[in-house]
Amino acid sequence: MKSNVNRRQFLAGATALSTLPYTATATPATPDLTARLGKVQLAPVEYPETEIWGYDGGVPGPEIRLRQGESLTRRLVNELPQPTSIHWHGLRIPNAMDGVPGMTQDAVAPGENYTYEFSPPDAGTYWYHSHNQSTEQVARGLYGLLIVDEVDPPDVDHDISVVIDDWRLTEHAAISDDFGAMHDWTHAGRMGNFVHSHLTPSLNQVKRNDRLRVRLVNVSTDRVMMIGLHGMVGAIVALDGMPLLAPKAADHAILGPAQRADFILDVTADLGDQALIAIHEGDEAFILSDFSVVGTNARVARGAISALPPNPLTPMAKVVDAREVKLHMEGGAMGGLRQGIWKGEEMSVQELVNNGQIWTFNGVAGLPETPLIELSQGEILRIPMRNDTAFPHAMHLHGHHFQEEMADGSLGPLRDTIMMDRGQEQTIVFRAENPGDWLLHCHMLSHQAAGMKTWLRVTA
């Protein structure tokens, strides 16, 4: 990957990118997660602190870490001025714990609380975030990581979680409150002017030949990011929490909103040089995090990178006896949409816009009253999807992981979120093993708010 890597500082313009490391006092994970206001120094010190909404008042919220098979209990306490909820993104957990207001629970009102309790079956990199008014609440900082460690984790010198976000800040470093801007909703979404990363644990020095596990997580509301790794060589070993059957050599990952990639990397930068994590924009790259190389690890020969231990959910090798339901995406600016159905009523485009809706699945804007399909537990579903819009979309399925079906019938790795480019057709398949009502929506949260969501029902 060839790019001019530089250290552009914070600018208040509409397209500026920052490379500042984020520092804040760590908040220990406790049985309570309190959604409340807080202040953090996002911009350089010459700017004021930024008021955010965060779990335990920080951003990201506390990293929750447990061993595969252990149970997790957290009580959400809402001290915000809006109702809220927590969605545990990518986890195959009971439907009642999925955190979707109006579908799996009521939104938690200000001053109220709600307890989540489940045992994640799969090791991997996951995250949690608000699923109520999420275009605003996630943009204000309501998210954190949930790491489920393997019983037998890989041998590495450092295991680093890298949360990457895209903020839209004013010239005074305040979060811009234009969350419902129709231009954003009808185009590529809410693009920020300040991209930053937060590392857990904080790390600024490594040794040559150190082996790192780097967990990249894109928590932005709408931005697709290309993240490059410089001064390190290695492979992707997991996507969206699920291990690959074999490591895939790579020096970068393209992550849509909500997507994750786990790398195993060996530091190759020379002594006195730096290993870098950077975001790539066109022919340039902007540093998100850097590690000074200050010594040499005595363990020079680390050997080949091995695959991670498999999870209970393993990829299907082929599709047999699948049911099928199609998903057709239309709308948005330059999308050619002429009419659609919202809340059971057929409307013109202008009427849809007046109701804050401009994207449709199969001609329906917003959450329909009936499911896209109803399945019995254990059935395999194939969903051919066609993106007849002018913009990409990050399609996320709750409660399950799926695989992309290729033209030759082969199946890709397990994912919970897949990117679809404009004009693209893709087919996903999965076994409906988790009973309940599950959302399928675009994780460009502006697009979801403006119509791109539907749901599936799986009956036991």
Side-chain angles (χ1 to χ4, degrees):
M1 181 188 308
K2 295 182 179 179
S3 297
N4 299 315
V5 182
N6 62 65
R7 296 179 175 274
R8 181 181 295 180
Q9 294 298 307
F10 172 79
L11 299 174
T15 59
L17 294 173
S18 172
T19 64
L20 287 175
Y22 167 75
T23 57
T25 302
T27 304
T30 67
D32 280 0
L33 274 176
T34 302
R36 62 179 175 85
L37 277 64
K39 287 187 176 182
V40 297
Q41 189 68 50
L42 284 179
V45 293
E46 61 267 26
Y47 289 85
E49 289 184 317
T50 300
E51 186 173 279
I52 57 92
W53 294 4
Y55 295 110
D56 293 352
V59 62
E63 181 175 288
I64 301 173
R65 197 153 194 151
L66 66 157
R67 185 66 63 90
Q68 186 176 10
E70 291 181 345
S71 62
L72 180 146
T73 302
R74 288 295 184 276
R75 187 178 72 141
L76 169 63
V77 179
N78 185 9
E79 295 182 2
L80 299 173
Q82 295 177 359
T84 192
S85 70
I86 296 178
H87 170 55
W88 307 89
H89 187 111
L91 293 171
R92 298 186 301 125
I93 56 178
N95 190 240
M97 297 291 101
D98 197 43
V100 180
M103 180 169 287
T104 67
Q105 68 170 90
D106 293 330
V108 182
E112 300 296 326
N113 64 78
Y114 186 89
T115 299
Y116 297 92
E117 185 173 7
F118 52 86
S119 296
D122 305 309
T125 303
Y126 305 98
W127 65 302
Y128 60 95
H129 61 82
S130 168
H131 217 290
N132 192 61
Q133 296 181 240
S134 53
T135 47
E136 176 177 358
Q137 294 190 9
V138 174
R140 288 190 182 275
L142 278 171
Y143 54 77
L145 292 194
L146 193 157
I147 305 299
V148 183
D149 287 314
E150 297 87 359
V151 175
D152 184 18
D155 178 23
V156 296
D157 297 296
H158 302 284
D159 186 335
I160 309 162
S161 303
V162 185
V163 175
I164 309 166
D165 200 0
D166 172 37
W167 300 83
R168 182 181 290 183
L169 301 181
T170 70
E171 60 183 3
H172 301 296
I175 297 173
S176 178
D177 62 1
D178 54 344
F179 302 107
M182 188 53 67
H183 183 275
D184 292 340
W185 287 21
T186 59
H187 289 73
R190 180 184 172 91
M191 296 294 141
N193 52 17
F194 183 77
V195 175
H196 88 297
S197 66
H198 174 73
L199 274 61
T200 304
S202 180
L203 183 70
N204 54 30
Q205 293 183 342
V206 293
K207 295 179 179 179
R208 182 176 170 83
N209 301 321
D210 270 353
R211 178 158 284 188
L212 314 179
R213 180 173 185 167
V214 176
R215 306 169 185 261
L216 301 177
V217 185
N218 180 358
V219 300
S220 67
T221 57
D222 295 284
R223 184 184 289 275
V224 180
M225 302 185 188
M226 177 183 283
I227 306 299
L229 302 156
H230 304 263
M232 301 172 276
V233 297
I236 297 174
V237 293
L239 292 169
D240 292 351
M242 290 293 178
L244 302 184
L245 293 177
K248 180 182 178 181
D251 62 1
H252 72 282
I254 299 175
L255 299 177
Q259 290 187 317
R260 291 91 66 210
D262 287 33
F263 283 79
I264 300 291
L265 302 161
D266 293 330
V267 177
T268 56
D270 293 330
L271 297 182
D273 207 342
Q274 291 180 320
L276 306 172
I277 300 174
I279 182 168
H280 291 247
E281 294 280 325
D283 293 330
E284 293 187 293
F286 307 99
I287 299 170
L288 293 169
S289 301
D290 55 45
F291 315 105
S292 298
V293 181
V294 297
T296 300
N297 192 314
R299 299 172 64 181
V300 176
R302 300 306 295 257
I305 295 171
S306 300
L308 296 175
N311 277 326
L313 179 66
T314 56
M316 294 186 294
K318 60 181 180 179
V319 178
V320 179
D321 296 329
R323 294 180 62 187
E324 181 173 300
V325 61
K326 295 181 179 180
L327 191 73
H328 183 204
M329 307 172 189
E330 294 181 291
M334 302 170 286
L337 186 67
R338 295 184 179 182
Q339 62 185 24
I341 297 172
W342 185 63
K343 292 187 175 181
E345 183 180 349
E346 191 168 294
M347 296 184 178
S348 67
V349 169
Q350 187 57 56
E351 289 172 322
L352 289 172
V353 171
N354 292 343
N355 286 286
Q357 303 293 289
I358 193 59
W359 305 92
T360 65
F361 286 160
N362 295 347
V364 179
L367 198 66
E369 293 184 2
T370 58
L372 180 68
I373 192 172
E374 185 168 333
L375 304 160
S376 296
Q377 188 176 8
E379 285 192 292
I380 297 174
L381 180 64
R382 173 189 283 116
I383 308 179
M385 301 185 295
R386 186 168 86 244
N387 179 6
D388 275 341
T389 80
F391 299 94
H393 302 292
M395 294 302 298
H396 170 52
L397 175 62
H398 286 217
H400 298 79
H401 276 69
F402 52 75
Q403 295 169 261
E404 182 182 359
E405 185 177 36
M406 308 303 180
D408 63 359
S410 63
L411 300 178
L414 289 164
R415 303 297 302 258
D416 62 52
T417 307
I418 188 171
M419 285 300 305
M420 290 196 66
D421 289 333
R422 57 183 294 176
Q424 189 174 17
E425 295 185 10
Q426 288 176 292
T427 297
I428 62 172
V429 296
F430 69 97
R431 189 183 301 276
E433 295 180 331
N434 202 352
D437 294 343
W438 302 104
L439 277 182
L440 173 61
H441 66 92
C442 179
H443 219 285
M444 271 80 166
L445 296 179
S446 299
H447 296 170
Q448 175 197 238
M452 297 194 82
K453 51 191 171 186
T454 187
W455 60 290
L456 316 171
R457 173 165 288 164
V458 181
T459 58

